[in-house]
């Protein structure tokens, strides 16, 4: 059970569900989404295969679980620049330190290669698809929902930012008596709804807030850095890719007390802050 912190921001009370504190490398919503894998006995599997980008928080969380369980971890990416391969901080670097075996696939073959992954696995191998957007995630989010309910905070709104929307969607389904706010950090509202609809019918208590401006995922924005600093000032570090936009929407478009579910991702901040510095955004 992760703790709750109470903070005041712009004169409003927020409760922060500290899923960032579970462990250094396995934290945030990836910890929840990978709950089933974390519960799997070590002798059930000997290998996990996944794929995607090198900034991925899911990648790092998987590396951490495999390290702990003694499983091989194979991670496929498209071709990487030399600079990325040699980067000595950030999620990819940490994941390699935990045993991630990197395999690069030529860009032209990547898509076909990934869609054929499922065809050749034995029963000791688990494939985890990008972002962990699947039914497996539901079990862990059910546990999170129960923890929130048991806190009895007397506050009936929850917020958490979306990539695939898996976290916000299953949380809303598991907590019908709460309003769950989210915002799309990858793509627009329509794209988010499409992704969620592929998993389940979107319930009425899930409210998608639209950012006032179109942000491109993982790009540096001065308002994101300002929000990051403002949050750091009240004592909690959040990630620079998802959280700033969610907080901006919450502060501008809602006015009640809210439970913010910290989605993790702060291990990527060091390399992201370096990018802000290089771009002279302060
Ligand atoms: C993956 C991630 C999200 C998005 O989660 P989804 O379930 O894909 O919507 C949000 N915040 C952080 C820090 C993440 O790593």
């Amino acid at each position: 059970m992760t703790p709750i912190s109470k903070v005041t921001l712009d004169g409003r009370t927020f409760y922060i569900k500290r899923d960032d504190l579970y462990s250094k490398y396995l934290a945030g919503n990836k910890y929840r989404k990978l709950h089933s894998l974390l519960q799997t006995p070590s002798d059930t599997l000997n290998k996990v295969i996944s794929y995607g980008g090198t900034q991925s928080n899911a990648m790092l969380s998987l590396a951490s679980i495999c390290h702990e369980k003694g499983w091989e971890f194979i991670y496929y990416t498209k071709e990487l620049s030399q600079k990325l391969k040699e980067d000595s901080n950030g999620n990819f670097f940490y994941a390699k330190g935990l045993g991630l075996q990197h395999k690069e696939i030529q860009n032209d073959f990547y898509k076909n290669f990934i869609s054929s992954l499922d065809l050749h696995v034995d029963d000791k191998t688990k494939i985890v698809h990008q972002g962990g957007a699947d039914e497996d995630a539901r079990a862990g989010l059910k546990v999170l929902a129960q923890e929130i309910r048991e806190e009895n905070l007397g506050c009936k709104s929850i917020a958490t930012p979306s990539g695939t929307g898996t976290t916000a969607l299953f949380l809303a389904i598991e907590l019908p008596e709460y309003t769950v706010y989210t915002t799309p950090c990858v793509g627009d509202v329509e794209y988010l709804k499409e992704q969620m609809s592929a998993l389940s019918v979107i319930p009425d208590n899930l409210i998608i807030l639209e950012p006032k401006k179109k942000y491109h995922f993982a790009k540096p924005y001065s308002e994101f850095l300002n929000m990051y600093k403002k949050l750091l000032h009240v004592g909690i570090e959040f990630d620079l890719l998802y959280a700033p936009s969610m907080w901006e929407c919450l502060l501008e478009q809602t006015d009640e007390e809210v439970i913010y579910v910290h989605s993790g991702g702060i291990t990527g901040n060091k390399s992201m802050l370096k990018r802000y510095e290089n771009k002279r955004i302060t």
Side-chain angles (χ1 to χ4, degrees):
M1 181 126 171
T2 58
I4 301 264
S5 301
K6 190 175 176 182
V7 301
T8 305
L9 206 64
D10 289 1
R12 289 170 60 185
T13 298
F14 289 95
Y15 297 96
I16 319 291
K17 177 68 172 161
R18 302 300 303 275
D19 277 4
D20 53 316
L21 299 179
Y22 181 71
S23 77
K24 182 167 180 207
Y25 295 133
L26 177 60
N29 65 15
K30 304 309 179 293
Y31 152 59
R32 300 296 181 176
K33 291 166 83 172
L34 296 169
H35 174 87
S36 305
L37 197 63
L38 194 58
Q39 298 294 315
T40 303
S42 21
D43 58 2
T44 306
L45 297 175
N46 55 29
K47 191 192 290 181
V48 170
I49 297 176
S50 191
Y51 57 92
T54 54
Q55 291 204 354
S56 163
N57 294 320
M59 169 196 71
L60 183 56
S61 298
L62 280 171
S64 171
I65 293 176
C66 291
H67 182 74
E68 192 178 304
K69 301 274 186 186
W71 299 333
E72 263 193 281
F73 178 39
I74 315 285
Y75 194 72
Y76 294 101
T77 69
K78 291 185 181 171
E79 293 164 85
L80 300 184
S81 67
Q82 207 53 34
K83 190 163 161 270
L84 258 179
K85 283 188 211 169
E86 287 165 4
D87 196 359
S88 60
N89 58 59
N91 288 356
F92 194 47
F93 177 73
Y94 304 136
K96 283 188 286 191
L98 292 166
L100 174 149
Q101 297 174 49
H102 176 220
K103 301 216 190 306
E104 219 171 347
I105 305 296
Q106 280 181 34
N107 295 356
D108 288 350
F109 302 131
Y110 185 78
K111 218 173 154 191
N112 278 336
F113 180 83
I114 296 303
S115 34
S116 67
L117 270 180
D118 286 308
L119 303 175
H120 312 285
V121 292
D122 58 66
D123 57 5
K124 287 265 184 183
T125 301
K126 167 91 182 162
I127 303 217
V128 179
H129 291 286
Q130 195 160 4
D134 55 31
E135 270 294 327
D136 276 358
R138 188 161 175 166
L141 290 162
K142 190 172 178 152
V143 176
L144 170 60
Q146 198 49 35
E147 289 183 15
I148 292 174
R149 192 178 273 130
E150 281 168 11
E151 290 285 352
N152 259 320
L153 293 168
C155 159
K156 288 292 173 211
S157 298
I158 296 175
T160 203
S162 280
T164 62
T166 312
T167 304
L169 176 69
F170 287 142
L171 212 47
I173 290 172
E174 296 296 341
L175 291 169
E177 72 273 35
Y178 288 75
T179 296
V180 174
Y181 292 112
T182 193
T183 191
C185 300
V186 183
D188 60 11
V189 173
E190 277 317 304
Y191 179 71
L192 178 58
K193 282 188 181 162
E194 229 172 79
Q195 297 221 82
M196 286 177 168
S197 303
L199 290 169
S200 167
V201 174
I202 302 174
D204 291 338
N205 63 322
L206 178 63
I207 310 288
I208 301 177
L209 303 175
E210 184 161 12
K212 63 165 195 255
K213 168 175 156 185
K214 192 168 164 43
Y215 295 113
H216 294 277
F217 186 63
K219 262 186 76 172
Y221 293 98
S222 59
E223 54 268 51
F224 281 14
L225 188 63
N226 289 340
M227 186 62 78
Y228 167 82
K229 287 180 181 165
K230 182 168 166 165
L231 293 160
L232 208 53
H233 191 72
V234 297
I236 304 179
E237 184 172 13
F238 287 87
D239 83 288
L240 278 155
L241 306 187
Y242 297 91
S245 179
M246 184 75 252
W247 278 106
E248 197 167 71
C249 288
L250 278 180
L251 294 177
E252 286 171 2
Q253 302 178 43
T254 69
D255 53 18
E256 73 270 38
E257 286 191 350
V258 174
I259 303 166
Y260 187 104
V261 177
H262 197 310
S263 55
I266 59 170
T267 49
N269 284 351
K270 213 165 152 188
S271 38
M272 202 57 200
L273 285 168
K274 198 158 264 160
R275 286 178 62 201
Y276 275 91
E277 210 177 285
N278 293 341
K279 291 205 159 200
R280 309 257 185 277
I281 300 174
T282 54

